[in-house]
Amino acid sequence: MVQTGKINMLMGIDVGGTNLRLGILDHGLVIDDIRFQANFSEICKNNPADVAWHKILEVTANAINEMLKKHPDVSAVGIGFPGFIAPNTQIILQSPNLPGILNVDLSAALSAMIKRPVLVENDALVAAYGEFCSLKSHDKASAKTRIQDLIYVGLGTGVGGGLILNGQPFGGQHGMAMEIGHMITVPNGRLCGCGNHGCMEQYASATGVALSYQDLTGEAIAVDAIARLARAGDVEAIKAYELAGVNLAIAIANIVAVLDIRLILIGGGMSHAWDLMADVFHATLNAALIPVLRGKIEVEISNFGDQAGIIGAALLSSTLVS
Ligand SMILES: [Zn+2]
């Protein structure tokens, strides 16, 4: 449970490349939660940009209005969106995993359709905030209550990063802080949706694991099937996950060299397969960290798992109505 002040009921939404997830937060507790496959990535790949944008708006507004029928007391809606969000204006500048979504105002469009204030923020940043609020509300005797800084890494269709500094979400001057999925870990590597080559998310995301497996075997199969194969001992499937772990570890070692933050939380749908990456991740991280930092960085699976985004988005939206 997390504190929401005087505001009782809020809605949080996690927009993913594959899934759309909505949750209702009542006094800091998730009391209702729906998730469905919206396939926004596919919609963007298969339609002109303006058609894709209107489909995304319609699907999202319809889902919100269905939830509002059950929970009419919701006072604000927070959305975690996978993209670069301009500070202050909330304009979505670009979404590498939703091609064609450029310079759109989801907040203004949706608030007109659902008659509630809508806050839009980067998906990993809202998840980081959700995780941070959960640490704050833990046992006062816990050392984690003193944590003021953390990094959240969301492993999903892409890889997002969120930073909490001095207890506040840090989005950067252009809303581009912590775009760790676009740190280049393989020079001249795979082409990324952002336009560069060799970005970490091309290896460490669900999409990246599927691409690695395809490179190794010639077979294009879903990431869940690759996880099952890896657990059954399939060598190529294991390698695809290990490549994810190596690239993630190199990116995190570099971030820690810049920011010196002790707590890293791993969330997102791919965190369910952390067991397939963990050993190689820790070995690579330990080797890549500045020696004085070895053994001092805590990497943990996030507390809220894939609910962190809806919780953080809902909590941040309370600033619109408090
Ligand atoms: Zn990229």
Side-chain angles (χ1 to χ4, degrees), residues 67-78:
M67 276 298 243
L68 288 175
K69 277 186 203 160
K70 283 198 317 186
H71 305 285
D73 293 337
V74 164
S75 50
V77 176

Side-chain angles (χ1 to χ4, degrees), residues 182 192 194 199:
H182 303 285
C192 180
C194 75
C199 293

Side-chain angles (χ1 to χ4, degrees), residues 14-27:
D14 188 13
V15 176
T18 310
N19 293 311
L20 183 65
R21 188 157 186 180
L22 296 84
I24 302 293
L25 216 64
D26 187 5
H27 291 83

Side-chain angles (χ1 to χ4, degrees), residues 75-318:
S75 50
V77 176
I79 299 184
F81 197 89
F84 311 142
I85 316 293
N88 306 319
T89 64
Q90 302 187 58
I91 300 285
I92 299 168
L93 302 171
Q94 188 195 357
S95 177
N97 291 302
L98 301 177
I101 300 301
L102 296 167
N103 301 312
V104 288
D105 192 344
L106 181 63
S107 166
L110 268 184
S111 39
M113 293 165 91
I114 65 160
K115 317 288 184 231
R116 304 282 193 292
V118 176
L119 177 139
V120 176
E121 187 46 277
N122 175 270
D123 55 350
L125 190 56
V126 299
Y129 188 65
E131 293 292 342
F132 175 71
C133 292
S134 106
L135 294 181
K136 270 201 310 186
S137 59
H138 274 189
D139 179 2
K140 293 274 184 279
S142 160
K144 284 190 177 147
T145 58
R146 293 192 293 275
I147 285 176
Q148 287 295 301
D149 309 310
L150 68 82
I151 287 169
Y152 173 88
V153 180
L155 299 177
T157 308
V159 178
L163 173 63
I164 303 295
L165 266 186
N166 298 320
Q168 296 296 321
F170 183 84
Q173 302 261 299
H174 306 93
M176 302 287 290
M178 291 299 290
E179 285 298 339
I180 61 172
H182 303 285
M183 291 175 73
I184 293 168
T185 50
V186 181
N188 303 312
R190 293 175 188 151
L191 177 64
C192 180
C194 75
N196 273 344
H197 285 264
C199 293
M200 182 262 273
E201 77 171 27
Q202 292 305 313
Y203 302 85
S205 65
T207 317
V209 168
L211 286 171
S212 296
Y213 186 78
Q214 193 174 356
D215 281 356
L216 290 162
T217 64
E219 279 181 73
I221 59 174
V223 71
D224 292 348
I226 301 169
R228 282 194 294 277
L229 283 169
R231 292 199 175 96
D234 181 279
V235 174
E236 276 79 23
I238 291 169
K239 274 188 197 160
Y241 273 99
E242 286 183 345
L243 195 57
V246 165
N247 281 275
L248 182 62
I250 290 168
I252 287 183
N254 286 330
I255 295 163
V256 169
V258 175
L259 292 172
D260 185 14
I261 284 181
R262 181 163 64 93
L263 181 61
I264 320 279
L265 295 173
I266 308 286
M270 275 263 290
S271 62
H272 298 305
W274 184 244
D275 58 307
L276 297 170
M277 295 180 259
D279 287 350
V280 72
F281 170 86
H282 286 294
T284 309
L285 179 68
N286 207 44
L289 278 173
I290 298 170
V292 75
L293 288 173
R294 288 177 192 161
K296 293 179 179 164
I297 304 302
E298 292 173 42
V299 181
E300 297 175 8
I301 294 295
S302 71
N303 292 314
F304 287 137
D306 53 9
Q307 277 196 333
I310 54 174
I311 293 170
L315 290 173
L316 268 183
S317 77
S318 70

